[in-house]
Amino acid sequence: MSEVGDLASRWHVGRVHPTPDVEPDGWTLEKLCDIARLESGHTPSRNRPDYWDGDIPWLSLHDSKTIEGKTLHKTKMTVSALGIANSSARLLPKGTVALSRTATIGKVAILGREMATSQDFACYICGPRLLNSYLAHLFRGMGGEWERLMAGSTHNTIYMPTFQNLQILVPSMPEQEAIAEALSNADGLIEGLERLIAKKRLIKRGAMQDLLTAKRRLPGFSGEWKEKHLGEIAAVIMGQSPRSAAYNSEARGLPLIQGAADIRARKTIRRIFTSEITKLGKRGDIILTVRAPVGEVSRAEFDLCLGRGVCAVRTGQEFVYHALINAESAWSSLSKGSTFDSVNADEVRAFEVMYPLDSEERVSIANVLTDMDAEILALEARLEKARQVKESMMQNLLTGRIRPI
């Protein structure tokens, strides 16, 4: 069984659990400020350069994209001891749980060292009855609650009195430790898969740059390469938008692909339909955007209507698909137009592609890159499953529906 499957099996993911009508056995409803000390941060004066660029990390909304799920050791900005001394900011101890309460609400970090924060964070210093990692996981599972508490605010803010009155269900310390360990293990699996996918993508990018430019040759091949116009090696069918009166959301006719909005992860999606088919795109066609942005490559997952923002590149050669992906950045030099960046049919057909004359070499290169794509897709599927498992674990463990001990 895979790591993801083992995790799902261990925590009964997929089983239906009734929401408890009473507090789980051994859990108590506590006012959070009774078992943790609440602190808010502050921003030292921007007019005092000597208050900034010191050796004290200062957590702010500039860090909001990187803090989620992290034990935080570094921040984008730092303050000086003088800045702390002359402001309402406080040095918070290692282990403090910091929650963003304005703008990007609900981002959580555990401070990995002594640091200060801006006023955009509510920070809890946990007492002996509350484990900081348990509280961090609980906060991460409260997205809907944070949205509810923000309701009515005109500034995307949860105000500090809300945090002073916040109540949470608290299990025993051994159960907090078991819950936090289980969820941290799930986080570790997710982070490991994310790192592996990033590594595989880099390897794939390097392989494309080498194999699709003849910089590196596969064993057994030494034949000539030439620059070919796209129109020489594939049929190009430019799109034409139907009348807007033919648009519908009831699946009458075919999906209409108009541009990047109709593409996800290099695959066409069904978003808008049209009963008037102007230009037909066939399942398996390479779809290329020709208007803002130009040159994005995807695959037609079904028969479709080509809108004016795309064209279909029709060829039986998988090599061409990979070559166009590798050349995506080159289209920017061709795009033009005062309203929309765009390319026309002649420019698409004249686009040059490095092309091995040996058909077996083209097939071999395409097979290598397609296998890499398949490996990445399989890892992405595992990652999505791991995230679903983690979500289910949070819903069950943090409510007492499943007891880890």
Side-chain angles (χ1 to χ4, degrees):
M1 185 180 293
S2 69
E3 292 174 287
V4 177
D6 182 62
L7 199 65
S9 175
R10 182 178 179 187
W11 296 109
H12 313 283
V13 172
R15 182 184 299 176
V16 177
H17 296 270
T19 303
D21 295 323
V22 295
E23 295 167 13
D25 235 8
W27 292 36
T28 57
L29 185 64
E30 301 277 359
K31 186 176 180 181
L32 186 49
C33 280
D34 289 342
I35 54 176
R37 189 171 91 243
L38 175 63
E39 296 280 0
S40 181
H42 192 262
T43 301
S45 173
R46 300 286 191 180
N47 297 321
R48 292 288 302 266
D50 53 341
Y51 287 0
W52 295 93
D53 300 323
D55 57 3
I56 301 171
W58 184 72
L59 177 62
S60 71
L61 291 181
H62 293 289
D63 303 291
S64 61
K65 290 185 179 179
T66 59
I67 65 173
E68 185 64 7
K70 306 293 183 183
T71 297
L72 193 66
H73 298 277
K74 293 182 179 180
T75 56
K76 291 188 176 181
M77 302 180 72
T78 59
V79 294
S80 66
L82 188 64
I84 295 292
N86 288 279
S87 73
S88 298
R90 295 180 176 84
L91 278 179
L92 300 172
K94 174 182 178 180
T96 298
V97 178
L99 173 79
S100 60
R101 65 180 189 88
T102 68
T104 52
I105 291 174
K107 299 289 185 179
V108 186
I110 296 177
L111 306 190
R113 55 166 290 182
E114 189 176 61
M115 65 177 67
T117 79
S118 74
Q119 63 273 21
D120 299 301
F121 289 83
C123 303
Y124 288 96
I125 302 168
C126 296
R129 294 176 51 209
L130 183 62
L131 184 68
N132 60 356
S133 55
Y134 171 81
L135 181 62
H137 283 298
L138 181 66
F139 279 172
R140 288 178 198 127
M142 290 173 58
E145 184 68 6
W146 302 135
E147 289 183 14
R148 185 187 68 80
L149 292 171
M150 186 182 66
S153 167
T154 58
H155 303 289
N156 273 13
T157 299
I158 300 176
Y159 298 104
M160 285 304 290
T162 298
F163 293 100
Q164 292 167 353
N165 297 315
L166 196 64
Q167 296 184 80
I168 63 170
L169 280 171
V170 182
S172 67
M173 184 58 74
E175 191 164 0
Q176 290 181 50
E177 291 170 348
I179 291 171
E181 181 182 8
L183 295 176
S184 294
N185 287 342
D187 282 338
L189 176 58
I190 290 169
E191 290 165 11
L193 286 169
E194 288 173 338
R195 288 193 298 270
L196 182 57
I197 289 169
K199 179 181 177 181
K200 294 291 185 182
R201 285 176 177 161
L202 283 175
I203 293 171
K204 162 80 185 308
R205 170 52 60 183
M208 291 178 73
Q209 291 171 349
D210 288 348
L211 292 174
L212 294 170
T213 59
K215 183 178 179 180
R216 176 164 67 91
R217 307 295 291 273
L218 293 175
F221 296 104
S222 57
E224 186 181 1
W225 285 52
K226 284 189 175 181
E227 286 190 340
K228 292 277 192 178
H229 293 148
L230 185 56
E232 295 180 78
I233 57 178
V236 176
I237 300 96
M238 300 299 291
Q240 178 184 338
S241 294
R243 294 174 298 111
S244 58
Y247 293 8
N248 68 88
S249 57
E250 291 82 29
R252 296 195 307 274
L254 290 176
L256 173 62
I257 306 302
Q258 303 184 93
D262 303 302
I263 295 164
R264 297 285 185 277
R266 298 205 182 281
K267 295 180 179 180
T268 55
I269 61 171
R270 293 175 173 87
R271 188 175 67 92
I272 299 172
F273 292 79
T274 177
S275 57
E276 178 184 311
I277 312 306
T278 48
K279 291 294 184 73
L280 177 65
K282 296 181 179 179
R283 179 181 179 184
D285 282 349
I286 300 166
I287 302 299
L288 187 72
T289 59
V290 296
R291 295 170 71 88
V294 172
E296 287 195 5
V297 179
S298 61
R299 182 78 78 185
E301 293 292 294
F302 36 76
D303 287 354
L304 49 84
C305 179
L306 298 163
R308 65 176 179 168
V310 299
C311 71
V313 178
R314 191 165 297 159
T315 172
Q317 302 181 69
E318 194 71 10
F319 175 89
V320 176
Y321 171 71
H322 293 291
L324 288 175
I325 290 174
N326 193 52
E328 277 181 329
S329 61
W331 288 96
S332 59
S333 63
L334 292 176
S335 61
K336 62 186 179 181
S338 57
T339 306
F340 297 100
D341 288 336
S342 63
V343 289
N344 61 37
D346 289 340
E347 289 167 327
V348 174
R349 293 187 178 101
F351 188 78
E352 291 184 336
V353 175
M354 285 289 291
Y355 192 76
L357 300 185
D358 185 338
S359 62
E360 290 187 9
E361 185 171 9
R362 296 197 298 270
V363 170
S364 296
I365 291 171
N367 286 343
V368 169
L369 298 176
T370 298
D371 287 347
M372 288 182 168
D373 282 340
E375 184 180 13
I376 292 169
L377 283 173
L379 288 170
E380 288 173 339
R382 285 178 58 194
L383 175 60
E384 179 59 27
K385 177 64 175 177
R387 287 171 173 160
Q388 292 172 1
V389 169
K390 164 77 184 303
E391 181 66 24
S392 181
M393 288 173 65
M394 293 178 73
Q395 291 172 2
N396 289 323
L397 291 172
L398 294 171
T399 60
R401 294 173 186 170
I402 289 179
R403 309 295 292 272
I405 59 174

